[in-house]
Amino acid sequence: MSGRTLYDKIYDAHLVSATEGEGALLYIDLHLVHEVTSPQAFDGIRLNHRTVRRPDRTLATADHNVPTDPLDVPVADPVSRRQLEALEENCAEFGITLFPRGHENQGIVHVIGPELGVSQPGMTIVCGDSHTSTHGAFGALAFGIGTSEVEHVLATQTLPQSRARTMAVTVEGELPEGLSAKDVVLAIVGRLGTGGGAGYVIEYRGSVIESLSMEGRMTVCNMSIEAGARAGLVAPDETTFEYLRGRAGVPSGEEFERLVDHWRDLRSDSDAAFDAEIVMDASDLVPYMTWGTNPAHVAPVHGVVPSPESFPDPDERATAQRALEYMGLSAGTALTEVPVDVVFIGSCTNSRIEDLRVAARVAERGRVAPGVRALVVPGSHRVKTQAEAEGLDVIFRDAGFEWREPGCSMCLGMNPDQLTPGQRSASTSIATSRAARGGGGVRTSSLRPSPPPRRWSGTSQHRVTWRWGHEGRSHRRGPRRSPRPQ
Amino acid sequence: MKAVHIVEGRAVPLGRSDVDTDQIIPSEWLKRVERTGFGRGLFSEWRDDPEFILNQADYQGATILVAGPRFGTGSSREHAVWALMDYGFEAVVAPSFGDIFRNNSSKQGLVTVQLAAEDVTHLENLLREDPRRAVVVDVARGTLEVPELGWTRSFHLDPAIRERLLNGWDDIGMTLRRGAEIDDFEASRAHFTLAGLFDGDGHVRTQERS
Ligand code: SF4
């Protein structure tokens, strides 16, 4: 019998009974809840006179539509306010721990799980947000669910879930200096296409993945679903254990070491067979950014907007053509010369302390160009507090950035942080669909580069060019001041 | 969810094809936090028109909707099913349905009756002739009948879906029937829990967890 993949091991360990196929019921260790996809699930629980089975495996935070204004500014939008109130009422009624707006533990759901240490190897984690795959960075099986599934998990702590297919994405070679996890994952998504991962759970492996920090692995896993995958994960290793050590959600001392011993077994057997395998060499990767309306619309940062004619597939060609019209771009324009109106640094893809440090190193070498609005939205209160302790907020403010309260913000634009029609933004968030950005006939445009490069060795300095604003000025960046604390 | 054996009553010939979920319930309705009350938003772009068929006196209190091909395509919003059911519909008849819509319907107890296009057209004509004609959908037998005329057609229902409808099992109900299995599973191994991690205000407790 051949070995099992990491996914299979986690899946098998959570099968409520041996029933396979249609009747397979998967036990859920941790259910993360936020204000937008949960109210009707709670209402359904009430309507059917049911209750929440395991409030002690359920954790709620306000993130998707909270304003990022100072905390004394009331929530203006009545729908957002109602959703936030409903979350508070529901959590109080069913005994669920909630971090409301302004709470010290509040933040984007995929940022707070890891930083509190409650996202752990070998777990099953779900949340009513598609980017739940982020937590796969810890070697957990983590995926997004819809509202009726949220209700199902609340009531039963399980989900009907048949076995997914498995794909190994191995990234070998030496990641060039100055390239980041996001460049890696954009390259993977570009290779697979937006539907190429459909039906699969991807395991990322290889020397490049192993060399990434936890934040970098989270960025990679976060974007798994951009390739259509159900989830993405990375086998836990010393980097994982060191990240978790000392965090609130894990025990200390010997008990932690016992857990680590158990976690060490969480890896695919050497003879495990995957349903699909892809091997990539990172050595010749270049920094990428997206230029269009889906995450497979990527091009090298120093390249040009491609011509739709370069897409062999007629459907893709038509999509690319529409994307260019939508973005107001023409083929052949240098990507670094595209003017932007708004710069957004945030979202669960890139709003952790490590991301903000890198962005601050860039910010301290220039100023936001006149006429450009630039926002930094930390992923959580803890990230914000840490950044302020390091003085990053001052660097951003001095450079002309707004320093905001945590939340999802412009990633989905359910809060007041929105583009106006015709505006174009450069953002570190996920490249979402045009529907998500410009629904209802509003023709917003967004240009989404990967964040500034974040990996470099020791003390060596090197140039990065990172341009923003109409002037397209470039900036030099020096070595990082502090190592990794948090 | 409620068990459904027979859906009986008046039927509304909508007479439109390609009615997608956004036409069933426009997106501004998605901002609600409740599961109920969506009936008021059903077909809301057409409801202001006094000529619109749902506004006509003869069709008030109808329980069956008859529509053209590709009903319920488009976005996967479950709200479309909530809206139809909240309005009072218990069954929808059409030549074809959006896959996700059909799936969502089966999970909430809305019966989807797929008939040949000419049968749907014929049924719509019968209903326009006389809006008060009763129509009967029999889930167990898989038939749709206009008893007054003895006009009967069979339709296919997935056996698993039929069983769920007849027993009133929604997904959660089906799983809750396996409660003992879940209990056993929970008892069989130590799982992570959040118990004791946070105090009543959500602050991390400082003392070591037991
Ligand atoms: S930042 Fe965006 S992707 Fe992440 S949780 Fe919020 S809405 Fe979802």
Side-chain angles (χ1 to χ4, degrees), chain A residues 356-368 390-392 394-401 466 468 473 475-481:
Chain A
L356 299 191
R357 286 186 190 127
V358 174
R361 295 296 87 83
V362 179
E364 71 189 348
R365 277 152 211 280
R367 276 200 59 78
V368 175
E390 296 177 23
L392 304 186
V394 177
I395 297 174
F396 283 121
R397 283 202 169 103
D398 285 351
F401 284 84
W466 168 250
W468 63 59
R473 45 203 291 187
H475 308 273
R476 270 183 72 84
R477 186 191 55 193
R480 174 157 57 175
R481 271 209 301 250

Side-chain angles (χ1 to χ4, degrees), chain A residues 322-372:
Chain A
R322 280 195 301 275
L324 285 189
E325 285 161 20
Y326 180 77
M327 299 293 291
L329 294 172
S330 42
T333 308
L335 282 169
T336 49
E337 300 302 330
V338 174
V340 298
D341 307 289
V342 176
V343 172
F344 169 56
I345 295 178
S347 91
C348 63
T349 317
N350 286 113
S351 64
R352 299 183 173 81
I353 186 68
E354 198 187 48
D355 305 307
L356 299 191
R357 286 186 190 127
V358 174
R361 295 296 87 83
V362 179
E364 71 189 348
R365 277 152 211 280
R367 276 200 59 78
V368 175
V372 172

Side-chain angles (χ1 to χ4, degrees), chain B residues 36-112:
Chain B
T36 50
F38 287 92
R40 279 180 291 124
L42 180 70
F43 301 129
S44 70
E45 295 198 359
W46 304 326
R47 288 276 281 283
D48 288 343
D49 176 3
E51 296 295 303
F52 180 57
I53 195 148
L54 284 199
N55 294 331
Q56 295 175 23
D58 282 343
Y59 294 104
Q60 296 312 302
T63 52
I64 299 168
L65 181 71
V66 186
R70 295 173 296 280
F71 186 83
T73 48
S75 109
S76 61
R77 63 188 71 154
E78 294 163 70
H79 310 68
V81 179
W82 299 341
L84 287 161
M85 295 187 76
D86 192 62
Y87 182 85
F89 289 119
E90 295 166 32
V92 184
V93 184
S96 58
F97 294 94
D99 274 345
I100 302 175
F101 174 82
R102 191 207 305 261
N103 194 26
N104 287 342
S105 297
S106 73
K107 292 182 176 196
Q108 327 251 355
L110 180 69
V111 186
T112 49

Side-chain angles (χ1 to χ4, degrees), chain B residues 27-44:
Chain B
S27 56
E28 60 259 29
W29 280 82
L30 308 190
K31 294 181 171 176
R32 293 170 59 81
V33 294
E34 296 85 12
R35 266 283 282 273
T36 50
F38 287 92
R40 279 180 291 124
L42 180 70
F43 301 129
S44 70

Side-chain angles (χ1 to χ4, degrees), chain A residues 178-196:
Chain A
L179 261 66
S180 75
K182 190 145 177 195
D183 297 307
V184 173
V185 70
L186 280 174
I188 294 170
V189 173
R191 164 94 172 258
L192 289 174
T194 46

Side-chain angles (χ1 to χ4, degrees), chain A residues 438-462:
Chain A
V442 183
R443 294 179 59 81
T444 55
S445 309
S446 56
L447 191 69
R448 297 160 178 280
S450 66
R454 79 151 81 107
R455 227 179 74 102
W456 65 96
S457 60
T459 55
S460 74
Q461 291 199 16
H462 61 275

Side-chain angles (χ1 to χ4, degrees), chain B residues 10 16 27 37 39 58 77 91 95 99-100 103 116 130 136 141 161 168 184:
Chain B
R10 286 190 198 175
R16 295 177 195 240
S27 56
D58 282 343
R77 63 188 71 154
D99 274 345
I100 302 175
N103 194 26
D130 181 358
V136 180
R141 288 170 53 215
I161 290 177
D184 289 349

Side-chain angles (χ1 to χ4, degrees), chain A residues 192-266:
Chain A
L192 289 174
T194 46
Y200 289 99
V201 169
I202 299 177
E203 179 175 340
Y204 300 98
R205 47 206 323 218
S207 57
V208 169
I209 302 295
E210 285 162 24
S211 73
L212 293 176
S213 66
M214 285 315 294
E215 285 84 353
R217 295 178 191 184
M218 285 187 241
T219 300
V220 171
C221 290
N222 172 283
M223 290 192 62
S224 303
I225 66 123
E226 307 304 332
R230 183 90 176 115
L233 42 75
V234 176
D237 60 9
E238 294 309 317
T239 307
T240 322
F241 311 145
E242 281 319 305
Y243 178 97
L244 285 169
R245 190 188 300 278
R247 292 193 186 258
V250 295
S252 53
E254 275 180 31
E255 219 185 311
F256 182 72
E257 300 313 321
R258 269 201 298 278
L259 262 181
V260 168
D261 277 345
H262 163 66
W263 289 340
R264 280 186 218 283
D265 296 334
L266 291 167

